[in-house]
Amino acid sequence: MKNWSVWIDGRQVGVEGISDDLPLSGKLRAIIDRDLPLDRIVEEIRLDGEVVCKDGEYVHDIDGKEGTSLELVTVPLEDVLRESVRTLVSHLSQVARLFSEIGRSLRKGKINEVFGGEGAYKDRGGAYVQGIESMVAAQVLVGQIRGACREEGARESLVLIGDESRFEELLGSMLVAQEARDWILLADLIEYELVPVFEKGLSSAEQYYQSVFAGAA
């Protein structure tokens, strides 16, 4: 990386040993692997003063860009993990509440409110689609938290679902009930099996937050 300058939180780091043959994204990865402290995570990357990466997502395709100065801004991994768990707790509460509403609507025969066309979620594909999307978002959050736990090494991991294969079976049963248009069975699966999974997960996330971050600012 001849003629380059690289800074991490205002501290200049050497570029010796970073191959010029690598694309810029490869150079960045090599710098992060070599120089980033284990208890920090990259929040923002600037190329010649322009933000090219924010919160782990590239704003631009940087491999086609030219430049001579890279600046990495980091935050404590502990802070990211804490905020992720706090967000997950709020999210799981919302998911459990939404699916409880879906179950009640199915029992009342309000099918159009559940699957689109009517109700508060009609512009987002219906309450059921919104519920599934929220469930996926929760899974993404859990993945991010587990990744952060691995980065910290000794950090205990967060476990929300004890038997993930049973959870997959439950989702499969829900799909069968939906395809058969058996709305009472679908309501039973949601209210008596799916919602308790999320409520148990919420309890686990709250306990995890208290055990790991109790007393933290």
Side-chain angles (χ1 to χ4, degrees):
M1 292 184 68
K2 297 177 181 178
N3 303 320
W4 277 81
S5 63
V6 179
W7 306 78
I8 298 180
D9 294 329
R11 173 180 62 88
Q12 189 169 11
V13 299
V15 295
E16 300 82 4
I18 306 298
S19 174
D20 284 324
D21 295 331
L22 291 171
L24 184 53
S25 58
K27 293 182 176 74
L28 267 171
R29 174 46 54 191
I31 291 167
I32 290 170
D33 289 344
R34 187 191 66 182
D35 296 304
L36 188 69
L38 294 178
D39 62 346
R40 311 286 297 185
I41 190 169
V42 176
E43 179 182 49
E44 187 174 285
I45 300 174
R46 301 170 188 151
L47 175 62
D48 289 347
E50 178 188 9
V51 175
V52 294
C53 184
K54 183 73 174 177
D55 296 329
E57 298 290 336
Y58 280 111
V59 179
H60 305 287
D61 178 9
I62 65 171
D63 286 335
K65 285 185 168 291
E66 301 290 338
T68 58
S69 175
L70 280 170
E71 182 181 357
L72 285 69
V73 180
T74 76
V75 293
L77 187 57
E78 180 88 356
D79 291 354
V80 175
L81 182 57
R82 182 190 299 110
E83 186 58 33
S84 295
V85 178
R86 184 185 292 128
T87 300
L88 179 64
V89 167
S90 174
H91 194 73
L92 286 174
S93 177
Q94 294 172 8
V95 173
R97 184 167 59 252
L98 176 56
F99 273 105
S100 293
E101 293 173 0
I102 289 171
R104 289 193 294 270
S105 294
L106 287 170
R107 293 193 187 283
K108 294 176 181 178
K110 298 180 179 180
I111 310 305
N112 281 337
E113 285 191 11
V114 174
F115 295 104
E118 296 178 5
Y121 300 97
K122 65 180 181 180
D123 295 330
R124 287 175 279 176
Y128 195 79
V129 169
Q130 188 64 27
I132 296 298
E133 290 179 352
S134 297
M135 188 164 58
V136 171
Q139 291 174 321
V140 171
L141 268 172
V142 171
Q144 292 173 342
I145 292 167
R146 287 176 175 171
C149 290
R150 286 193 296 270
E151 290 288 341
E152 289 208 335
R155 172 76 67 189
E156 62 178 291
S157 187
L158 172 63
V159 177
L160 295 182
I161 300 173
D163 186 354
E164 294 194 3
S165 63
R166 175 68 190 104
F167 184 67
E168 294 299 327
E169 290 175 7
L170 172 58
L171 295 182
S173 297
M174 288 170 54
L175 178 59
V176 170
Q178 181 183 349
E179 291 175 341
R181 303 178 70 82
D182 190 336
W183 309 128
I184 298 303
L185 174 58
L186 183 57
D188 285 345
L189 291 169
I190 288 173
E191 291 182 329
Y192 300 137
E193 297 197 51
L194 184 65
V195 170
V197 168
F198 287 123
E199 290 175 340
K200 185 176 180 180
L202 173 60
S203 177
S204 296
E206 289 174 332
Q207 291 175 11
Y208 180 87
Y209 185 87
Q210 289 301 318
S211 66
V212 174
F213 301 112

